[in-house]
Structure formats: structure tokens, C-alpha cells
Amino acid sequence: MSELAAKVFIGTGRRKTASARVRIQEGTGKVTVNGREFETYFPTELLQATSVRPSVIAELRDQIDMTVLVQGGGLSGQSEAVALGLARALQTRDPELRSSLKQAGLLRRDPRMRERKKAGQPGARKRFQFSKR
């Protein structure tokens, strides 16, 4: 039995208001998100590809099982949060993957957040229509 067989590695990822906790361990490529099947939770191929991109780059897609707990935000933010959490977990598992993950831009948290609505305006930047008379 290999040294990594029973070990579990955890990574946390965030994006906008979404937060994901990713647990990886040796396996066959099974992915579970909030107790549901991966393909059911992330219905489009784009969301699925975004979520597992770090494991594809590390060439470990069919060698690790992922269990993900994600909350907050929408599906797009959640899939990017999962990607960051997965990248961090993979880096913990094998520090040599850091350079390839970093080069692909997968270890950087996207800082963009929704701007708050301002008082006296209908939105964050939109103004009410100006009336000269």
C-alpha cells in the first residue's frame, strides 16, 4: 500500500461570496459536491471543466477522489472556488506541483467582489436620470 493511500488533503477556496472546502484522497476520479454527483451539481461542461482544471493540469484527474462542500454565491463563483480549493489541496499533497499550478494562475484568489449600492442612487454606479427642468 502506498504512503499517500490513506491520507486526506484539504484545501479552501473562495470566489465572490462562494466558499468551498475540498478534500482529496487517492482514488479513481470520483467527485462529490455537497453530497450530490458532480455532473448533477455543475450541469454545464464549462463549470465542470473550470472546477477540475487543477487536477487536469497536474495530470491526476483519474487518480484522486474529491469531496467538496460549497456554499454561497452562484454556480460560476462556486466552480471557481472549487478550483482554488482543489489547487491548494493538490499543492499540499505534492509541493512540486506548485510551479505548474501557479503558472496556470490557479493559486491566486480572484479579488473581484460585487460593489455595494450607494445611498441616493439606484445601484452601485448608476444615477437617477438628470432633469434640467
Side-chain angles (χ1 to χ4, degrees):
M1 198 164 197
S2 82
E3 186 181 314
L4 297 171
K7 291 191 178 178
V8 176
F9 300 93
I10 300 171
T12 304
R14 291 185 191 83
R15 170 72 172 101
K16 293 186 178 178
T17 57
S19 177
R21 293 193 316 255
V22 180
R23 295 168 45 119
I24 61 169
Q25 58 191 16
E26 295 299 310
T28 58
K30 186 171 182 264
V31 182
T32 311
V33 183
N34 288 354
R36 289 166 53 189
E37 205 171 302
F38 179 63
E39 287 78 15
T40 339
Y41 194 87
F42 292 121
T44 67
E45 286 186 26
L46 179 67
L47 294 173
Q48 292 170 15
T50 304
S51 301
V52 296
R53 187 162 173 245
S55 62
V56 172
I57 286 176
E59 297 173 1
L60 295 169
R61 178 72 178 100
D62 299 327
Q63 298 171 27
I64 57 171
D65 287 344
M66 276 174 42
T67 307
V68 181
L69 292 175
V70 65
Q71 60 187 17
L75 288 179
S76 179
Q78 286 184 352
S79 71
E80 291 183 29
V82 169
L84 178 59
L86 176 58
R88 286 178 173 172
L90 287 171
Q91 179 189 343
T92 307
R93 178 183 177 272
D94 184 7
E96 291 178 12
L97 293 174
R98 179 175 170 82
S99 61
S100 60
L101 292 171
K102 192 170 182 173
Q103 194 172 20
L106 295 169
L107 290 175
R108 186 176 191 282
R109 189 219 192 274
D110 193 337
R112 295 175 296 174
M113 299 288 283
R114 187 188 135 270
E115 191 174 335
R116 75 175 197 88
K117 179 193 170 300
K118 314 298 188 303
Q121 296 175 199
R125 305 224 172 162
K126 186 173 172 65
R127 306 284 202 263
F128 286 113
Q129 186 171 353
F130 175 73
S131 173
K132 192 176 239 182
R133 291 175 192 85

mmCIF file with all atom_site columns, all heavy atoms in Angstrom, residues 11-34:
data_model
loop_
_atom_site.group_PDB
_atom_site.id
_atom_site.type_symbol
_atom_site.label_atom_id
_atom_site.label_alt_id
_atom_site.label_comp_id
_atom_site.label_asym_id
_atom_site.label_entity_id
_atom_site.label_seq_id
_atom_site.pdbx_PDB_ins_code
_atom_site.Cartn_x
_atom_site.Cartn_y
_atom_site.Cartn_z
_atom_site.occupancy
_atom_site.B_iso_or_equiv
_atom_site.pdbx_formal_charge
_atom_site.auth_seq_id
_atom_site.auth_comp_id
_atom_site.auth_asym_id
_atom_site.auth_atom_id
_atom_site.pdbx_PDB_model_num
ATOM 1   N N   . GLY A 1 11 ? -8.176  21.663 1.045   1.00 0.00 ? 11 GLY A N   1
ATOM 2   C CA  . GLY A 1 11 ? -7.898  23.000 0.530   1.00 0.00 ? 11 GLY A CA  1
ATOM 3   C C   . GLY A 1 11 ? -9.167  23.834 0.569   1.00 0.00 ? 11 GLY A C   1
ATOM 4   O O   . GLY A 1 11 ? -10.261 23.319 0.353   1.00 0.00 ? 11 GLY A O   1
ATOM 5   N N   . THR A 1 12 ? -9.005  25.123 0.869   1.00 0.00 ? 12 THR A N   1
ATOM 6   C CA  . THR A 1 12 ? -10.150 26.029 0.918   1.00 0.00 ? 12 THR A CA  1
ATOM 7   C C   . THR A 1 12 ? -10.031 27.032 -0.213  1.00 0.00 ? 12 THR A C   1
ATOM 8   O O   . THR A 1 12 ? -8.963  27.603 -0.430  1.00 0.00 ? 12 THR A O   1
ATOM 9   C CB  . THR A 1 12 ? -10.183 26.785 2.260   1.00 0.00 ? 12 THR A CB  1
ATOM 10  O OG1 . THR A 1 12 ? -10.198 25.837 3.310   1.00 0.00 ? 12 THR A OG1 1
ATOM 11  C CG2 . THR A 1 12 ? -11.410 27.656 2.356   1.00 0.00 ? 12 THR A CG2 1
ATOM 12  N N   . GLY A 1 13 ? -11.134 27.253 -0.913  1.00 0.00 ? 13 GLY A N   1
ATOM 13  C CA  . GLY A 1 13 ? -11.141 28.222 -1.995  1.00 0.00 ? 13 GLY A CA  1
ATOM 14  C C   . GLY A 1 13 ? -12.326 29.151 -1.870  1.00 0.00 ? 13 GLY A C   1
ATOM 15  O O   . GLY A 1 13 ? -13.399 28.747 -1.404  1.00 0.00 ? 13 GLY A O   1
ATOM 16  N N   . ARG A 1 14 ? -12.124 30.404 -2.261  1.00 0.00 ? 14 ARG A N   1
ATOM 17  C CA  . ARG A 1 14 ? -13.217 31.379 -2.226  1.00 0.00 ? 14 ARG A CA  1
ATOM 18  C C   . ARG A 1 14 ? -13.234 32.168 -3.516  1.00 0.00 ? 14 ARG A C   1
ATOM 19  O O   . ARG A 1 14 ? -12.204 32.398 -4.130  1.00 0.00 ? 14 ARG A O   1
ATOM 20  C CB  . ARG A 1 14 ? -13.040 32.340 -1.057  1.00 0.00 ? 14 ARG A CB  1
ATOM 21  C CG  . ARG A 1 14 ? -13.236 31.686 0.285   1.00 0.00 ? 14 ARG A CG  1
ATOM 22  C CD  . ARG A 1 14 ? -13.169 32.706 1.405   1.00 0.00 ? 14 ARG A CD  1
ATOM 23  N NE  . ARG A 1 14 ? -13.099 32.035 2.683   1.00 0.00 ? 14 ARG A NE  1
ATOM 24  C CZ  . ARG A 1 14 ? -11.983 31.561 3.222   1.00 0.00 ? 14 ARG A CZ  1
ATOM 25  N NH1 . ARG A 1 14 ? -10.841 31.707 2.600   1.00 0.00 ? 14 ARG A NH1 1
ATOM 26  N NH2 . ARG A 1 14 ? -12.007 30.957 4.378   1.00 0.00 ? 14 ARG A NH2 1
ATOM 27  N N   . ARG A 1 15 ? -14.444 32.622 -3.894  1.00 0.00 ? 15 ARG A N   1
ATOM 28  C CA  . ARG A 1 15 ? -14.613 33.472 -5.069  1.00 0.00 ? 15 ARG A CA  1
ATOM 29  C C   . ARG A 1 15 ? -15.922 34.219 -4.906  1.00 0.00 ? 15 ARG A C   1
ATOM 30  O O   . ARG A 1 15 ? -16.960 33.574 -4.676  1.00 0.00 ? 15 ARG A O   1
ATOM 31  C CB  . ARG A 1 15 ? -14.630 32.621 -6.339  1.00 0.00 ? 15 ARG A CB  1
ATOM 32  C CG  . ARG A 1 15 ? -15.025 33.358 -7.596  1.00 0.00 ? 15 ARG A CG  1
ATOM 33  C CD  . ARG A 1 15 ? -13.914 34.308 -8.048  1.00 0.00 ? 15 ARG A CD  1
ATOM 34  N NE  . ARG A 1 15 ? -14.223 34.874 -9.338  1.00 0.00 ? 15 ARG A NE  1
ATOM 35  C CZ  . ARG A 1 15 ? -14.707 36.100 -9.507  1.00 0.00 ? 15 ARG A CZ  1
ATOM 36  N NH1 . ARG A 1 15 ? -14.927 36.885 -8.482  1.00 0.00 ? 15 ARG A NH1 1
ATOM 37  N NH2 . ARG A 1 15 ? -14.957 36.555 -10.713 1.00 0.00 ? 15 ARG A NH2 1
ATOM 38  N N   . LYS A 1 16 ? -15.901 35.541 -5.017  1.00 0.00 ? 16 LYS A N   1
ATOM 39  C CA  . LYS A 1 16 ? -17.077 36.374 -4.747  1.00 0.00 ? 16 LYS A CA  1
ATOM 40  C C   . LYS A 1 16 ? -17.620 36.018 -3.373  1.00 0.00 ? 16 LYS A C   1
ATOM 41  O O   . LYS A 1 16 ? -16.914 36.172 -2.383  1.00 0.00 ? 16 LYS A O   1
ATOM 42  C CB  . LYS A 1 16 ? -18.126 36.223 -5.844  1.00 0.00 ? 16 LYS A CB  1
ATOM 43  C CG  . LYS A 1 16 ? -17.698 36.778 -7.187  1.00 0.00 ? 16 LYS A CG  1
ATOM 44  C CD  . LYS A 1 16 ? -18.853 36.712 -8.165  1.00 0.00 ? 16 LYS A CD  1
ATOM 45  C CE  . LYS A 1 16 ? -18.477 37.300 -9.502  1.00 0.00 ? 16 LYS A CE  1
ATOM 46  N NZ  . LYS A 1 16 ? -19.575 37.195 -10.453 1.00 0.00 ? 16 LYS A NZ  1
ATOM 47  N N   . THR A 1 17 ? -18.846 35.527 -3.266  1.00 0.00 ? 17 THR A N   1
ATOM 48  C CA  . THR A 1 17 ? -19.370 35.155 -1.950  1.00 0.00 ? 17 THR A CA  1
ATOM 49  C C   . THR A 1 17 ? -19.414 33.641 -1.772  1.00 0.00 ? 17 THR A C   1
ATOM 50  O O   . THR A 1 17 ? -19.983 33.148 -0.795  1.00 0.00 ? 17 THR A O   1
ATOM 51  C CB  . THR A 1 17 ? -20.784 35.740 -1.742  1.00 0.00 ? 17 THR A CB  1
ATOM 52  O OG1 . THR A 1 17 ? -21.630 35.285 -2.794  1.00 0.00 ? 17 THR A OG1 1
ATOM 53  C CG2 . THR A 1 17 ? -20.749 37.243 -1.724  1.00 0.00 ? 17 THR A CG2 1
ATOM 54  N N   . ALA A 1 18 ? -18.829 32.892 -2.687  1.00 0.00 ? 18 ALA A N   1
ATOM 55  C CA  . ALA A 1 18 ? -18.816 31.430 -2.604  1.00 0.00 ? 18 ALA A CA  1
ATOM 56  C C   . ALA A 1 18 ? -17.593 30.958 -1.830  1.00 0.00 ? 18 ALA A C   1
ATOM 57  O O   . ALA A 1 18 ? -16.513 31.536 -1.932  1.00 0.00 ? 18 ALA A O   1
ATOM 58  C CB  . ALA A 1 18 ? -18.805 30.821 -3.999  1.00 0.00 ? 18 ALA A CB  1
ATOM 59  N N   . SER A 1 19 ? -17.774 29.895 -1.073  1.00 0.00 ? 19 SER A N   1
ATOM 60  C CA  . SER A 1 19 ? -16.687 29.320 -0.292  1.00 0.00 ? 19 SER A CA  1
ATOM 61  C C   . SER A 1 19 ? -16.735 27.801 -0.452  1.00 0.00 ? 19 SER A C   1
ATOM 62  O O   . SER A 1 19 ? -17.804 27.193 -0.310  1.00 0.00 ? 19 SER A O   1
ATOM 63  C CB  . SER A 1 19 ? -16.865 29.712 1.170   1.00 0.00 ? 19 SER A CB  1
ATOM 64  O OG  . SER A 1 19 ? -15.876 29.114 1.951   1.00 0.00 ? 19 SER A OG  1
ATOM 65  N N   . ALA A 1 20 ? -15.577 27.196 -0.727  1.00 0.00 ? 20 ALA A N   1
ATOM 66  C CA  . ALA A 1 20 ? -15.537 25.750 -0.960  1.00 0.00 ? 20 ALA A CA  1
ATOM 67  C C   . ALA A 1 20 ? -14.450 25.098 -0.113  1.00 0.00 ? 20 ALA A C   1
ATOM 68  O O   . ALA A 1 20 ? -13.337 25.610 -0.014  1.00 0.00 ? 20 ALA A O   1
ATOM 69  C CB  . ALA A 1 20 ? -15.274 25.455 -2.435  1.00 0.00 ? 20 ALA A CB  1
ATOM 70  N N   . ARG A 1 21 ? -14.799 23.953 0.498   1.00 0.00 ? 21 ARG A N   1
ATOM 71  C CA  . ARG A 1 21 ? -13.821 23.131 1.208   1.00 0.00 ? 21 ARG A CA  1
ATOM 72  C C   . ARG A 1 21 ? -13.659 21.845 0.404   1.00 0.00 ? 21 ARG A C   1
ATOM 73  O O   . ARG A 1 21 ? -14.619 21.102 0.220   1.00 0.00 ? 21 ARG A O   1
ATOM 74  C CB  . ARG A 1 21 ? -14.293 22.835 2.622   1.00 0.00 ? 21 ARG A CB  1
ATOM 75  C CG  . ARG A 1 21 ? -14.328 24.075 3.489   1.00 0.00 ? 21 ARG A CG  1
ATOM 76  C CD  . ARG A 1 21 ? -14.500 23.749 4.968   1.00 0.00 ? 21 ARG A CD  1
ATOM 77  N NE  . ARG A 1 21 ? -15.498 22.746 5.235   1.00 0.00 ? 21 ARG A NE  1
ATOM 78  C CZ  . ARG A 1 21 ? -16.702 22.998 5.742   1.00 0.00 ? 21 ARG A CZ  1
ATOM 79  N NH1 . ARG A 1 21 ? -17.067 24.216 5.987   1.00 0.00 ? 21 ARG A NH1 1
ATOM 80  N NH2 . ARG A 1 21 ? -17.547 22.015 5.987   1.00 0.00 ? 21 ARG A NH2 1
ATOM 81  N N   . VAL A 1 22 ? -12.438 21.595 -0.059  1.00 0.00 ? 22 VAL A N   1
ATOM 82  C CA  . VAL A 1 22 ? -12.170 20.453 -0.938  1.00 0.00 ? 22 VAL A CA  1
ATOM 83  C C   . VAL A 1 22 ? -11.287 19.450 -0.203  1.00 0.00 ? 22 VAL A C   1
ATOM 84  O O   . VAL A 1 22 ? -10.234 19.809 0.314   1.00 0.00 ? 22 VAL A O   1
ATOM 85  C CB  . VAL A 1 22 ? -11.468 20.921 -2.239  1.00 0.00 ? 22 VAL A CB  1
ATOM 86  C CG1 . VAL A 1 22 ? -11.204 19.742 -3.146  1.00 0.00 ? 22 VAL A CG1 1
ATOM 87  C CG2 . VAL A 1 22 ? -12.293 21.973 -2.945  1.00 0.00 ? 22 VAL A CG2 1
ATOM 88  N N   . ARG A 1 23 ? -11.745 18.190 -0.166  1.00 0.00 ? 23 ARG A N   1
ATOM 89  C CA  . ARG A 1 23 ? -10.953 17.106 0.426   1.00 0.00 ? 23 ARG A CA  1
ATOM 90  C C   . ARG A 1 23 ? -10.574 16.147 -0.699  1.00 0.00 ? 23 ARG A C   1
ATOM 91  O O   . ARG A 1 23 ? -11.450 15.686 -1.430  1.00 0.00 ? 23 ARG A O   1
ATOM 92  C CB  . ARG A 1 23 ? -11.771 16.339 1.470   1.00 0.00 ? 23 ARG A CB  1
ATOM 93  C CG  . ARG A 1 23 ? -12.156 17.157 2.669   1.00 0.00 ? 23 ARG A CG  1
ATOM 94  C CD  . ARG A 1 23 ? -13.188 16.421 3.499   1.00 0.00 ? 23 ARG A CD  1
ATOM 95  N NE  . ARG A 1 23 ? -12.857 15.025 3.683   1.00 0.00 ? 23 ARG A NE  1
ATOM 96  C CZ  . ARG A 1 23 ? -12.637 14.459 4.869   1.00 0.00 ? 23 ARG A CZ  1
ATOM 97  N NH1 . ARG A 1 23 ? -12.745 15.157 5.949   1.00 0.00 ? 23 ARG A NH1 1
ATOM 98  N NH2 . ARG A 1 23 ? -12.340 13.181 4.948   1.00 0.00 ? 23 ARG A NH2 1
ATOM 99  N N   . ILE A 1 24 ? -9.283  15.848 -0.824  1.00 0.00 ? 24 ILE A N   1
ATOM 100 C CA  . ILE A 1 24 ? -8.848  14.900 -1.852  1.00 0.00 ? 24 ILE A CA  1
ATOM 101 C C   . ILE A 1 24 ? -8.135  13.727 -1.191  1.00 0.00 ? 24 ILE A C   1
ATOM 102 O O   . ILE A 1 24 ? -7.500  13.875 -0.146  1.00 0.00 ? 24 ILE A O   1
ATOM 103 C CB  . ILE A 1 24 ? -7.938  15.548 -2.918  1.00 0.00 ? 24 ILE A CB  1
ATOM 104 C CG1 . ILE A 1 24 ? -6.667  16.106 -2.304  1.00 0.00 ? 24 ILE A CG1 1
ATOM 105 C CG2 . ILE A 1 24 ? -8.683  16.600 -3.694  1.00 0.00 ? 24 ILE A CG2 1
ATOM 106 C CD1 . ILE A 1 24 ? -5.627  16.521 -3.317  1.00 0.00 ? 24 ILE A CD1 1
ATOM 107 N N   . GLN A 1 25 ? -8.269  12.566 -1.832  1.00 0.00 ? 25 GLN A N   1
ATOM 108 C CA  . GLN A 1 25 ? -7.546  11.371 -1.410  1.00 0.00 ? 25 GLN A CA  1
ATOM 109 C C   . GLN A 1 25 ? -7.365  10.476 -2.624  1.00 0.00 ? 25 GLN A C   1
ATOM 110 O O   . GLN A 1 25 ? -8.023  10.669 -3.645  1.00 0.00 ? 25 GLN A O   1
ATOM 111 C CB  . GLN A 1 25 ? -8.278  10.651 -0.291  1.00 0.00 ? 25 GLN A CB  1
ATOM 112 C CG  . GLN A 1 25 ? -9.685  10.225 -0.634  1.00 0.00 ? 25 GLN A CG  1
ATOM 113 C CD  . GLN A 1 25 ? -10.441 9.757  0.594   1.00 0.00 ? 25 GLN A CD  1
ATOM 114 O OE1 . GLN A 1 25 ? -10.035 10.015 1.718   1.00 0.00 ? 25 GLN A OE1 1
ATOM 115 N NE2 . GLN A 1 25 ? -11.544 9.067  0.378   1.00 0.00 ? 25 GLN A NE2 1
ATOM 116 N N   . GLU A 1 26 ? -6.480  9.512  -2.513  1.00 0.00 ? 26 GLU A N   1
ATOM 117 C CA  . GLU A 1 26 ? -6.224  8.593  -3.619  1.00 0.00 ? 26 GLU A CA  1
ATOM 118 C C   . GLU A 1 26 ? -7.515  7.866  -3.985  1.00 0.00 ? 26 GLU A C   1
ATOM 119 O O   . GLU A 1 26 ? -8.304  7.505  -3.110  1.00 0.00 ? 26 GLU A O   1
ATOM 120 C CB  . GLU A 1 26 ? -5.161  7.567  -3.227  1.00 0.00 ? 26 GLU A CB  1
ATOM 121 C CG  . GLU A 1 26 ? -3.791  8.169  -2.978  1.00 0.00 ? 26 GLU A CG  1
ATOM 122 C CD  . GLU A 1 26 ? -3.214  8.870  -4.187  1.00 0.00 ? 26 GLU A CD  1
ATOM 123 O OE1 . GLU A 1 26 ? -3.191  8.275  -5.276  1.00 0.00 ? 26 GLU A OE1 1
ATOM 124 O OE2 . GLU A 1 26 ? -2.790  10.027 -4.040  1.00 0.00 ? 26 GLU A OE2 1
ATOM 125 N N   . GLY A 1 27 ? -7.747  7.689  -5.277  1.00 0.00 ? 27 GLY A N   1
ATOM 126 C CA  . GLY A 1 27 ? -8.974  7.024  -5.698  1.00 0.00 ? 27 GLY A CA  1
ATOM 127 C C   . GLY A 1 27 ? -9.038  6.844  -7.196  1.00 0.00 ? 27 GLY A C   1
ATOM 128 O O   . GLY A 1 27 ? -8.015  6.698  -7.861  1.00 0.00 ? 27 GLY A O   1
ATOM 129 N N   . THR A 1 28 ? -10.269 6.923  -7.724  1.00 0.00 ? 28 THR A N   1
ATOM 130 C CA  . THR A 1 28 ? -10.489 6.625  -9.140  1.00 0.00 ? 28 THR A CA  1
ATOM 131 C C   . THR A 1 28 ? -11.043 7.804  -9.930  1.00 0.00 ? 28 THR A C   1
ATOM 132 O O   . THR A 1 28 ? -11.489 7.632  -11.056 1.00 0.00 ? 28 THR A O   1
ATOM 133 C CB  . THR A 1 28 ? -11.474 5.445  -9.267  1.00 0.00 ? 28 THR A CB  1
ATOM 134 O OG1 . THR A 1 28 ? -12.692 5.809  -8.608  1.00 0.00 ? 28 THR A OG1 1
ATOM 135 C CG2 . THR A 1 28 ? -10.898 4.183  -8.660  1.00 0.00 ? 28 THR A CG2 1
ATOM 136 N N   . GLY A 1 29 ? -11.077 8.990  -9.333  1.00 0.00 ? 29 GLY A N   1
ATOM 137 C CA  . GLY A 1 29 ? -11.584 10.158 -10.048 1.00 0.00 ? 29 GLY A CA  1
ATOM 138 C C   . GLY A 1 29 ? -13.021 10.508 -9.718  1.00 0.00 ? 29 GLY A C   1
ATOM 139 O O   . GLY A 1 29 ? -13.655 11.296 -10.405 1.00 0.00 ? 29 GLY A O   1
ATOM 140 N N   . LYS A 1 30 ? -13.571 9.930  -8.642  1.00 0.00 ? 30 LYS A N   1
ATOM 141 C CA  . LYS A 1 30 ? -14.949 10.209 -8.237  1.00 0.00 ? 30 LYS A CA  1
ATOM 142 C C   . LYS A 1 30 ? -15.020 11.583 -7.571  1.00 0.00 ? 30 LYS A C   1
ATOM 143 O O   . LYS A 1 30 ? -14.199 11.917 -6.733  1.00 0.00 ? 30 LYS A O   1
ATOM 144 C CB  . LYS A 1 30 ? -15.411 9.133  -7.259  1.00 0.00 ? 30 LYS A CB  1
ATOM 145 C CG  . LYS A 1 30 ? -16.863 9.227  -6.881  1.00 0.00 ? 30 LYS A CG  1
ATOM 146 C CD  . LYS A 1 30 ? -17.277 7.995  -6.080  1.00 0.00 ? 30 LYS A CD  1
ATOM 147 C CE  . LYS A 1 30 ? -18.737 8.073  -5.742  1.00 0.00 ? 30 LYS A CE  1
ATOM 148 N NZ  . LYS A 1 30 ? -18.974 8.624  -4.398  1.00 0.00 ? 30 LYS A NZ  1
ATOM 149 N N   . VAL A 1 31 ? -16.020 12.380 -7.985  1.00 0.00 ? 31 VAL A N   1
ATOM 150 C CA  . VAL A 1 31 ? -16.190 13.722 -7.426  1.00 0.00 ? 31 VAL A CA  1
ATOM 151 C C   . VAL A 1 31 ? -17.607 13.854 -6.870  1.00 0.00 ? 31 VAL A C   1
ATOM 152 O O   . VAL A 1 31 ? -18.584 13.561 -7.554  1.00 0.00 ? 31 VAL A O   1
ATOM 153 C CB  . VAL A 1 31 ? -15.954 14.815 -8.502  1.00 0.00 ? 31 VAL A CB  1
ATOM 154 C CG1 . VAL A 1 31 ? -16.090 16.198 -7.898  1.00 0.00 ? 31 VAL A CG1 1
ATOM 155 C CG2 . VAL A 1 31 ? -14.590 14.645 -9.140  1.00 0.00 ? 31 VAL A CG2 1
ATOM 156 N N   . THR A 1 32 ? -17.695 14.304 -5.616  1.00 0.00 ? 32 THR A N   1
ATOM 157 C CA  . THR A 1 32 ? -18.976 14.532 -4.968  1.00 0.00 ? 32 THR A CA  1
ATOM 158 C C   . THR A 1 32 ? -19.026 15.978 -4.493  1.00 0.00 ? 32 THR A C   1
ATOM 159 O O   . THR A 1 32 ? -18.091 16.446 -3.848  1.00 0.00 ? 32 THR A O   1
ATOM 160 C CB  . THR A 1 32 ? -19.149 13.599 -3.744  1.00 0.00 ? 32 THR A CB  1
ATOM 161 O OG1 . THR A 1 32 ? -18.834 12.284 -4.131  1.00 0.00 ? 32 THR A OG1 1
ATOM 162 C CG2 . THR A 1 32 ? -20.560 13.646 -3.223  1.00 0.00 ? 32 THR A CG2 1
ATOM 163 N N   . VAL A 1 33 ? -20.106 16.691 -4.828  1.00 0.00 ? 33 VAL A N   1
ATOM 164 C CA  . VAL A 1 33 ? -20.263 18.088 -4.415  1.00 0.00 ? 33 VAL A CA  1
ATOM 165 C C   . VAL A 1 33 ? -21.528 18.201 -3.572  1.00 0.00 ? 33 VAL A C   1
ATOM 166 O O   . VAL A 1 33 ? -22.624 17.927 -4.065  1.00 0.00 ? 33 VAL A O   1
ATOM 167 C CB  . VAL A 1 33 ? -20.353 19.035 -5.634  1.00 0.00 ? 33 VAL A CB  1
ATOM 168 C CG1 . VAL A 1 33 ? -20.441 20.480 -5.168  1.00 0.00 ? 33 VAL A CG1 1
ATOM 169 C CG2 . VAL A 1 33 ? -19.162 18.848 -6.549  1.00 0.00 ? 33 VAL A CG2 1
ATOM 170 N N   . ASN A 1 34 ? -21.375 18.594 -2.319  1.00 0.00 ? 34 ASN A N   1
ATOM 171 C CA  . ASN A 1 34 ? -22.496 18.721 -1.377  1.00 0.00 ? 34 ASN A CA  1
ATOM 172 C C   . ASN A 1 34 ? -23.358 17.451 -1.343  1.00 0.00 ? 34 ASN A C   1
ATOM 173 O O   . ASN A 1 34 ? -24.582 17.516 -1.318  1.00 0.00 ? 34 ASN A O   1
ATOM 174 C CB  . ASN A 1 34 ? -23.373 19.935 -1.720  1.00 0.00 ? 34 ASN A CB  1
ATOM 175 C CG  . ASN A 1 34 ? -22.683 21.243 -1.393  1.00 0.00 ? 34 ASN A CG  1
ATOM 176 O OD1 . ASN A 1 34 ? -21.604 21.271 -0.816  1.00 0.00 ? 34 ASN A OD1 1
ATOM 177 N ND2 . ASN A 1 34 ? -23.293 22.337 -1.764  1.00 0.00 ? 34 ASN A ND2 1
#
